[in-house]
Amino acid sequence: MGLNVVLYDTTLRDGSQGTGIAFSLADKIDIARRLDGFDFDYVEGGWPGSNPKDEDFFDALKTAPLRRARLTAFGSTRHAGARAELDANLNALVAAGTPAVAIFAKAWDFQVQVVLRTTLEENLEMVRDSVGYLKKGGREVILDAEHFFDGYRANHEYAIAVLAAAAEAGADWLALCDTNGGTLPGAIAEAVAGVVARFSVPVGIHAHNDGELAVANSLAAVAAGARQVQGTVNGYGERIGNANLCSVLPNLVLKEGVVCAAGEHLAELTGLSRAIEAMARVVPNPRLAYVGAAAFAHKGGVHVHAVAADPRTYEHVDPASVGNERKVLVSELSGRRSIVERARSLGFDLDYDSPVATEVMRRIKELEREGFQFEDALGSFALLVHRCTPSYRPPFEPLAYQIETHKSATDEGSHSLASATVAVGGEVLRGEAAGGGPVDALEKAVRRALIPAYPHLDRVDLVDFSAYIARVREGPRGNVAVRITASAPGSQPWTTVGSASDLLHAAWIALTDSLELAVLKRAGVTEAIGMPPTTGGDSRRESCTDPPADHGR
Ligand SMILES: [Zn+2]
């Protein structure tokens, strides 16, 4: 039977103090329910004494409480020279009506004197008085000993005296905070072991990541006897952030055999991370351990070969155990094996030694030199494999475009007009459109040209567009690359890439490829990267792209 550790999530409080992160009231309620559904033991919801939004949040959860997690309100000890029962902050904590409250207290004599500007004895009294008041109110009390590890180093006896004051007043947890995030794991372990030996009250760890050690420090604390780990989803928080619970949890469960209620949900961890990422509106970080898009991505030919034989050769855990997936990246660095594996994962029946595989390899090398990147543009990769297959008949042929953009002296913005010509079968089709910008006009024009032949293209949405200077190894200056992500009802989004010496031509390549894929997906030719095949198309022409015999499935 493994050790039991409880997880204390502070995404909604410490996490929301991270740069660029702001949650609306509705977001906060939604996140609290997700964290509860994930069986984190404590969900710290906010600081009711500090802002009305947090007070509204606690009010909302009074009428519809969490299922299992202990909702926790956060605040500070009473002010110096005041009385707990008259302290507005403590009374806001009581009014929040949560089963648990966390209050922070200064545990470093330097902070008491410089920030609180009170005596060391009064600070102890503030801890005793505040904890006692909240206990009288029937709350579970977590004392967050702020700057505990700095205090422990500077004035060991005083830091311990702060914990003793809380313990005597009935605190349920002594949470030791590495508030400045600069302590190393050895010092954390030593201090936690000292506290665990001295007190019968259970100990928690609250680590910040300033030395990139918050997760390591949390694990060191658990090994030294801590039984509660505080942290945030994706490690959001002040400055560099807090201990990332998405790393703490799998490390504890998979590596240390620790028992956590949230451990039951380990296979949903990547989903949780991505959901919170989306709600925080931050750019996804592919390098997050366990849950990032790159966590199980293999690129080098040797690695790909070995992983195909046995994933344990280059993976520390099974990606499925944390709800993530293995990825084989496609690039000129990859060997033929990775390209064949990738193509097969997309549903192509490709032989390792086939001339098609050779041609795909050759084209990837050539195109990457021109600035195309296929690693995260699987749509373009799938098209490339099709185009290297002799039996492939493209559903249309992009022929020409014309774009005009102008801004007049009296106008604030610009106006763009575009026309596009494509060939479908033997027929030349043309579309014209005005747009908010040249790319927008071009996109509308080419789609307008194609819609008579492929009416469903009307329902394709461009969900993301980015342009950047292509990474090219040689040459005096790079091409411009454009990446487009598109989606359609009932389909996973797909991404295509274009690269050319000018932005609009790069956009034309990525756009026409994106629409070609939309037609193929609809016809069921390229299933694995999106749209499920339809039964009986709504246009005669849509079935003109019969799957080539050599990749029928
Ligand atoms: Zn903190």
Side-chain angles (χ1 to χ4, degrees):
M1 194 52 199
L3 190 70
N4 277 282
V5 171
V6 300
L7 294 183
Y8 181 111
D9 180 279
T10 179
T11 305
L12 296 175
R13 203 270 306 169
D14 232 347
S16 71
Q17 290 170 221
T19 304
I21 295 188
F23 298 122
S24 67
L25 176 61
D27 285 343
K28 289 193 71 158
I29 295 169
D30 186 0
I31 291 172
R33 300 221 183 278
R34 281 171 197 266
L35 298 171
D36 182 32
F38 205 82
D39 282 327
F40 284 125
D41 304 275
Y42 294 81
V43 171
E44 191 177 81
W47 189 339
S50 78
N51 68 78
K53 183 167 61 182
D54 284 2
E55 277 165 34
D56 291 346
F57 167 83
F58 287 111
D59 279 345
L61 288 192
K62 263 181 215 164
T63 43
L66 296 182
R67 185 183 55 89
R68 175 187 172 278
R70 292 180 76 73
L71 184 64
T72 308
F74 177 86
S76 71
T77 55
R78 70 157 167 80
H79 287 103
R83 283 165 55 196
E85 58 273 27
L86 298 178
D87 189 274
N89 168 57
L90 285 179
N91 283 317
L93 282 177
V94 173
T98 55
V101 293
I103 51 169
F104 72 92
K106 303 276 180 205
W108 183 5
D109 57 355
F110 163 73
Q111 289 268 342
V112 176
Q113 287 153 339
V114 171
V115 179
L116 288 185
R117 295 163 181 266
T118 187
T119 63
L120 297 182
E121 186 43 49
E122 170 62 6
N123 183 52
L124 297 180
E125 200 44 53
M126 286 155 63
V127 172
R128 236 174 256 131
D129 199 15
S130 305
V131 172
Y133 179 64
L134 293 169
K135 283 309 294 177
K136 235 179 279 163
R139 301 300 192 272
E140 178 179 354
V141 178
I142 296 131
L143 183 91
D144 278 358
E146 207 192 19
H147 294 110
F148 177 80
F149 296 95
D150 298 304
Y152 193 82
R153 194 169 52 229
N155 184 342
H156 172 95
E157 273 165 28
Y158 188 71
I160 292 292
V162 171
L163 299 183
E168 282 157 25
D172 298 281
W173 288 95
L174 302 174
L176 312 181
C177 306
D178 187 27
T179 309
N180 293 0
T183 309
L184 304 184
I188 296 272
E190 192 188 320
V192 170
V195 172
V196 168
R198 167 81 171 67
F199 295 95
S200 57
V201 180
V203 169
I205 178 74
H206 178 107
H208 277 264
N209 203 30
D210 300 73
E212 215 179 1
L213 291 166
V215 171
N217 285 343
S218 302
L219 298 179
V222 169
R227 291 297 169 263
Q228 177 190 91
V229 178
Q230 301 194 354
T232 62
V233 173
N234 298 331
Y236 301 141
E238 290 271 11
R239 307 183 306 277
I240 305 304
N242 286 59
N244 183 354
L245 290 180
C246 295
S247 301
V248 169
L249 175 66
N251 279 328
L252 286 177
V253 173
L254 299 176
K255 308 285 174 78
E256 303 276 27
V258 163
V259 177
C260 297
E264 296 297 313
H265 300 275
L266 206 53
E268 301 150 39
L269 188 65
T270 300
L272 176 77
S273 162
R274 307 265 165 97
I276 304 295
E277 212 162 47
M279 294 176 86
R281 293 166 199 91
V282 298
V283 181
N285 177 1
R287 288 179 195 83
L288 287 175
Y290 291 100
V291 296
F296 301 95
H298 305 282
K299 184 165 170 180
V302 175
H303 287 215
V304 171
H305 192 106
V307 164
D310 188 332
R312 287 173 299 180
T313 50
Y314 288 98
E315 286 175 359
H316 69 131
V317 298
D318 177 1
S321 66
V322 289
N324 206 341
E325 56 182 13
R326 179 172 307 128
K327 268 197 192 139
V328 175
L329 301 177
V330 174
S331 91
E332 60 172 326
L333 295 183
S334 5
R336 176 185 288 252
R337 174 85 47 188
S338 3
I339 285 165
V340 169
E341 292 289 331
R342 201 43 166 157
R344 284 181 181 168
S345 77
L346 294 176
F348 289 96
D349 183 11
L350 193 62
D351 272 340
Y352 187 73
D353 300 318
S354 65
V356 174
T358 308
E359 180 60 9
V360 171
M361 288 278 294
R362 191 189 68 75
R363 288 288 292 150
I364 283 180
K365 284 188 186 189
E366 190 177 281
L367 289 166
E368 288 205 345
R369 272 197 295 277
E370 292 171 25
F372 286 78
Q373 286 284 330
F374 293 95
E375 264 176 51
D376 44 8
L378 281 189
S380 289
F381 173 69
L383 267 187
L384 181 70
V385 180
H386 278 305
R387 287 169 183 167
C388 292
T389 307
S391 56
Y392 179 65
R393 300 285 169 269
F396 64 87
E397 200 186 333
L399 294 177
Y401 61 84
Q402 192 168 359
I403 303 165
E404 231 179 77
T405 296
H406 49 94
K407 178 204 173 297
S408 71
T410 51
D411 262 340
E412 284 281 295
S414 67
H415 301 275
S416 296
L417 278 175
S419 67
T421 319
V422 298
V424 179
E427 212 177 324
V428 173
L429 302 172
R430 189 167 184 279
E432 265 183 31
V439 176
D440 183 46
L442 181 64
E443 189 269 323
K444 288 187 175 125
V446 66
R447 206 203 296 227
R448 210 162 269 179
L450 284 165
I451 279 175
Y454 303 109
H456 72 272
L457 292 182
D458 198 28
R459 296 193 299 278
V460 172
D461 270 330
L462 298 194
V463 292
D464 198 20
F465 175 96
S466 60
Y468 49 93
I469 302 294
R471 289 171 282 160
V472 210
R473 277 160 232 269
E474 304 113 45
R477 55 183 278 259
N479 277 355
V480 180
V482 164
R483 273 167 50 90
I484 288 176
T485 302
S487 73
S491 169
Q492 294 285 326
W494 61 93
T495 300
T496 53
V497 61
S499 177
S501 57
D502 84 275
L503 171 73
L504 292 173
H505 195 63
W508 168 255
I509 295 169
L511 272 173
T512 49
D513 277 7
S514 184
L515 294 171
E516 184 169 337
L517 269 168
V519 176
L520 297 187
K521 283 160 172 291
R522 175 71 169 201
V525 177
T526 296
E527 291 169 40
I529 45 172
M531 202 179 289
T534 49
T535 45
D538 50 23
S539 155
R540 188 187 50 80
R541 272 216 178 98
E542 284 175 14
S543 59
C544 78
T545 53
D546 287 325
D550 57 344
H551 20 91
R553 305 188 58 197

